[in-house]
Amino acid sequence: MTTRRPLGADGCLPPVLRMGTADLAYRLATHGRPLPVVFVFTFGGRAPSLDAVRARVAERAHRIPALRYRIAPDRPRFRRVERIAVEQHVHEARLPEHADDAEAGRLMLTRPVNPDSRPRWDVWLVHGPTGGYSLCYRSDHTIQDGVGAAHTARALLADHPEGGPAAYRPARPTARGIAGALGDAVGGFRGPTPKPAVDGASSGRITLCRTLTPLARLRTIGRTHGGTVNDVYLTALSHAVHTWHMKATGTPHPPLPVAVPMSVRAPGEECVPGNRMVTARLLLPCDEPSPLAAFARVVAATSHLRASRRRDAVRLLLAATPRALGARLGTRMVNGDVVAGPASSVNFGAALVHQGAASRSAAVFSGLAAGIRFLATLTSQHDTACLTVVHDETLAGADELPDLWLAALLELERA
C-alpha cells in the first residue's frame, strides 16, 4: 500500500484543483460571494512594522498550498496563481479611540475580501487604540475551514510553525453512526425548526462579541462532572441561551439545534485548499433550567456522536454521493431553517509566537450566510479559551451572551 504524498511536497502544485463537496456547498450557500473565516491573534506590547510582517509573509506564502489558489469565477475549481503580490495581501489598520477588544474581529467581518482575480486571503496588522495589536489572518470559507485556517496561520506567521490542531484519523463508522448521518440528511428536508431566540429575517448587518477565560477552568469543570472541555463549552452556551430567552420573554426556550463542525483533515493535509470538514446536528438543552442537568444531556449527546463515529459516517456518506447532490444536501442540513447556526471549537495549541512575541489569545470565527443569524466558537490557545459569538445586529441582547456564558460556568463550578 502506497502513502499519498501531501500536496506540494515535491515543490509542484497542479494548475487546477476540483472543489470538494463542502467547498461547493459554501459556494452555493453564499451565491459565490466571499464568506470570511478569520483568525485573530491578540498581542500586548509594541507592534512589529508593516514591512516586517510583509517580509514574513513573502518568505512563507509561496510554500503554503492554500495561499496559492484562487476561486475560478466560471467553474467549481481552484486555479493556481504563479505569483503572490504581498502588498496586495498584507495590510495595516488602526482602531478608533474607544474601540473594545472585539473591534479587530468586527473589522475583519466588514472589510471587503480580495476579488476573484486574486487568492481570497489576507493578513492585517491592527493597532489597538491604547497599545497592543492584533495579527489577523482571513480567508474565504469556500476555500478553507477553521482548522485549515489554524494550520495556515501558524505556517504563515509563527516563528516556529510546528504544531496546531490534531489531525483526523479515519475509522470505520458504526451502524448507529450511519443511521444518525442519514437522519441528519433527511432532517434537512423537514419544515423549519422553531428557534424563537434566533428566528427572523437576516438584516445582512452582523457584529460579534467575545470573552476570555482560563482553559484550566473548563478542564476542571469537565473533570469534576465527567465531560470534556467541549461539553462544558456547549453546556454553558445552552444555559446562556436559556437565560437570554427567559429574560426577554419569561418562557423557556425549546432545545436549540446547532451544527457541530468536525474536522476530517488528515495528516499531510494541514495547509491544502478546500474544506476538510463534516457537520452533525446537535440539540442544545436550552429548555433545561439546571446547568448540571443540561451538562448530563450534552455529555450523553456528544458521547453518542463519538461512540457511533458519526464523523466517519458523514464523511463516507458524502464520499459516496455525487458532488453536486452532496453539496445541495449540505446546504439543506446547515441553514437558518433547520439549525440556529454552527457551534464549533478549535484547539490551536501552543500560543502563536510572531517575531519573538507570544499572542495572548486566539479566536477563529466566520461570517453568516444561508439565513443563519448566530454562531458561536470556542478557540483554545495555550492556557486561554476565547468564546466568540457572531450575530445579526437585530438580535436584541445577543451581546449579553458572553457574560451569560461565564455566569453558566460559575454555576457549574458551584454545582
Side-chain angles (χ1 to χ4, degrees):
M1 180 178 177
T2 59
T3 302
R4 187 175 179 180
R5 298 190 68 187
L7 182 72
D10 57 359
C12 298
L13 294 172
V16 176
L17 292 174
R18 195 171 85 145
M19 284 186 180
T21 299
D23 311 329
L24 188 55
Y26 275 110
R27 192 184 197 200
L28 289 172
T30 62
H31 304 287
R33 293 187 294 270
L35 179 67
V37 56
V38 183
F39 240 109
V40 175
F41 302 93
T42 59
F43 295 80
R46 183 177 179 182
S49 67
L50 178 62
D51 286 344
V53 177
R54 282 179 169 167
R56 170 65 57 86
V57 172
E59 174 193 357
R60 304 274 185 85
H62 69 284
R63 299 197 299 263
I64 301 174
L67 305 182
R68 293 287 307 279
Y69 287 87
R70 66 181 180 90
I71 299 171
D74 54 343
R75 303 188 68 187
R77 301 283 190 273
F78 301 131
R79 296 193 178 277
R80 188 188 67 206
V81 298
E82 300 305 323
R83 178 179 175 272
I84 295 173
V86 170
E87 67 279 359
Q88 296 178 346
H89 289 271
V90 184
H91 312 284
E92 189 173 29
R94 296 185 182 276
L95 298 180
E97 182 179 353
H98 300 295
D100 62 18
D101 61 0
E103 188 62 29
R106 297 186 195 106
L107 182 70
M108 293 299 100
L109 287 175
T110 56
R111 283 289 176 107
V113 178
N114 283 341
D116 288 339
S117 59
R118 300 199 299 268
R120 289 181 180 176
W121 64 268
D122 49 30
V123 171
W124 287 80
L125 171 62
V126 182
H127 299 270
T130 58
Y133 60 98
S134 298
L135 281 176
C136 307
Y137 167 73
R138 189 173 63 155
S139 184
D140 182 355
H141 220 321
T142 299
I143 200 169
Q144 195 164 58
D145 54 61
V147 169
H151 285 294
T152 300
R154 192 180 284 279
L156 183 63
L157 298 172
D159 291 354
H160 305 287
E162 301 80 13
Y168 163 71
R169 307 286 178 176
R172 186 186 298 275
T174 67
R176 287 190 304 162
I178 293 173
L182 290 172
D184 282 355
V186 171
F189 293 91
R190 300 190 184 117
T193 305
K195 306 173 294 298
V198 297
D199 279 341
S202 299
S203 71
R205 304 185 310 275
I206 60 175
T207 188
L208 69 82
C209 45
R210 49 172 263 174
T211 193
L212 304 177
T213 198
L215 181 57
R217 185 184 187 192
L218 303 183
R219 288 173 174 157
T220 299
I221 295 172
R223 284 195 301 268
T224 300
H225 298 299
T228 66
V229 165
N230 194 54
D231 294 330
V232 176
Y233 151 59
L234 292 173
T235 300
L237 179 62
S238 173
H239 195 65
V241 172
H242 167 85
T243 306
W244 174 43
H245 189 67
M246 283 290 291
K247 287 175 63 177
T249 67
T251 60
H253 195 284
L256 187 73
V258 294
V260 178
M262 299 175 289
S263 176
V264 292
R265 195 168 286 269
E269 295 182 336
E270 288 82 0
C271 295
V272 302
N275 285 267
R276 303 296 201 271
M277 54 167 283
V278 297
T279 63
R281 186 174 183 268
L282 187 74
L283 285 174
L284 296 183
C286 301
D287 56 326
E288 181 59 68
S290 163
L292 196 56
F295 186 83
R297 288 168 62 179
V298 168
V299 168
T302 59
S303 296
H304 176 75
L305 290 180
R306 289 192 298 271
S308 65
R309 298 177 187 153
R310 180 76 65 84
R311 178 187 334 214
D312 302 278
V314 178
R315 180 183 64 85
L316 291 179
L317 177 65
L318 290 178
T321 304
R323 183 179 55 150
L325 177 60
R328 293 193 177 277
L329 184 62
T331 62
R332 292 297 309 167
M333 293 169 61
V334 185
N335 68 75
D337 283 341
V338 295
V339 295
S344 61
S345 62
V346 175
N347 186 352
F348 187 74
L352 181 86
V353 178
H354 180 81
Q355 300 188 31
S359 60
R360 295 177 171 179
S361 67
V364 62
F365 50 89
S366 75
L368 304 178
I372 287 171
R373 306 176 73 218
F374 160 91
L375 70 80
T377 65
L378 183 78
T379 315
S380 304
Q381 181 196 249
H382 184 44
D383 57 1
T384 301
C386 179
L387 172 77
T388 305
V389 176
V390 179
H391 63 89
D392 194 286
E393 287 186 357
T394 59
L395 288 182
D399 56 350
E400 298 177 27
L401 284 169
D403 286 340
L404 295 175
W405 185 79
L406 291 176
L409 293 181
L410 185 60
E411 288 194 55
L412 286 169
E413 286 173 321
R414 292 172 172 173

